């Protein structure tokens, strides 16, 4: 009756190429323990692979709820929403995270990118300036700020090219 063992079986099924069986094990793990955060996260990842995005988002929201708003889970949800081009939802989630964890550079990064996608350049600049204060030598952040201030997309080709050559890990 240990959900971790059941979830492990699901991971093994996924490794063997059976998404359906992996999903069955994830569902069973969650039924064994309805607040099993790892189960919700794993099931969400499976649902993304199965293109069931709305259900994946619901699972991440459940994981965030049951993990007492774990910042890493909330960030993952924000990144998922960003990658799905749900920029307003990304902003809504990550603004709350940054409010309680103002030094969380990764959350600020995706919040800034979402602002940029929404055409809110001033708000994006605020996020990236804060990141730059915590990571003064990060060339990607310097380039993103240059791009936004020049009226370009934060991740224009210039920034992506520069980042792949010079970027350093953000401090958390």
């Amino acid at each position: 009756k240990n959900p971790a063992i059941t979830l492990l079986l699901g991971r093994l099924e996924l490794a063997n190429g059976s998404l359906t069986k992996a999903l069955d094990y994830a569902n069973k793990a969650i039924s064994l323990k309805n607040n099993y955060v790892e189960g919700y996260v794993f099931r969400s990842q499976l649902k993304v692979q199965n293109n069931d995005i709305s259900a994946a988002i619901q699972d991440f929201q459940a994981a965030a709820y049951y993990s007492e708003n774990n910042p890493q889970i909330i960030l993952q949800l924000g990144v998922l929403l960003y990658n799905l081009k749900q920029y307003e939802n990304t902003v809504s989630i990550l603004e709350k995270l940054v409010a309680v964890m103002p030094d969380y550079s990764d959350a600020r990064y995706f919040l800034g990118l979402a602002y940029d996608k929404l055409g809110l350049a001033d708000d994006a600049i605020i996020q990236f300036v804060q990141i730059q204060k915590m990571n003064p030598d990060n060339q990607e952040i310097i380039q993103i700020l240059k791009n936004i201030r020049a009226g370009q997309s934060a991740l224009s080709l210039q920034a992506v090219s520069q980042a792949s050559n010079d970027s350093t890990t953000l401090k958390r």
Side-chain angles (χ1 to χ4, degrees):
K1 295 201 177 205
N2 184 335
I5 294 170
T6 304
L7 195 64
L8 179 59
L9 293 171
R11 292 184 193 283
L12 290 171
E13 288 296 344
L14 182 62
N16 285 325
S18 179
L19 184 63
T20 303
K21 288 181 182 177
L23 189 54
D24 289 342
Y25 278 112
N27 289 333
K28 185 175 180 183
I30 292 169
S31 71
L32 289 171
K33 184 178 179 192
N34 71 340
N35 64 345
Y36 189 46
V37 173
E38 292 84 4
Y40 284 106
V41 170
F42 181 63
R43 188 169 75 178
S44 176
Q45 294 164 346
L46 296 173
K47 288 180 179 180
V48 167
Q49 289 182 28
N50 206 29
N51 290 320
D52 190 358
I53 304 305
S54 62
I57 292 170
Q58 289 175 347
D59 278 344
F60 257 114
Q61 289 170 328
Y65 175 80
Y66 288 122
S67 65
E68 298 180 21
N69 293 317
N70 178 315
Q72 292 176 336
I73 300 287
I74 295 170
L75 176 65
Q76 288 178 6
L77 175 58
V79 171
L80 174 64
L81 293 169
Y82 177 83
N83 287 329
L84 296 171
K85 298 180 169 75
Q86 294 185 19
Y87 304 122
E88 289 94 1
N89 291 335
T90 302
V91 166
S92 175
I93 294 222
L94 294 182
E95 279 180 338
K96 292 173 189 168
L97 182 54
V98 167
V100 295
M101 294 186 68
D103 293 338
Y104 199 177
S105 294
D106 290 343
R108 284 189 179 277
Y109 181 86
F110 282 98
L111 178 57
L113 291 180
Y115 282 144
D116 179 61
K117 291 291 189 180
L118 292 170
L120 302 171
D122 291 341
D123 292 327
I125 289 170
I126 290 169
Q127 297 309 312
F128 289 109
V129 165
Q130 290 301 315
I131 295 169
Q132 187 179 35
K133 287 179 183 176
M134 294 179 276
N135 302 272
D137 298 326
N138 186 296
Q139 294 302 308
E140 180 184 7
I141 302 305
I142 292 168
Q143 187 62 51
I144 286 172
L145 282 166
K146 286 180 187 176
N147 288 345
I148 296 171
R149 288 176 174 145
Q152 298 174 350
S153 170
L155 295 178
S156 72
L157 291 178
Q158 222 177 356
V160 172
S161 171
Q162 184 70 26
S164 65
N165 293 328
D166 298 329
S167 123
T168 58
T169 303
L170 296 178
K171 294 178 185 171
R172 298 187 203 325

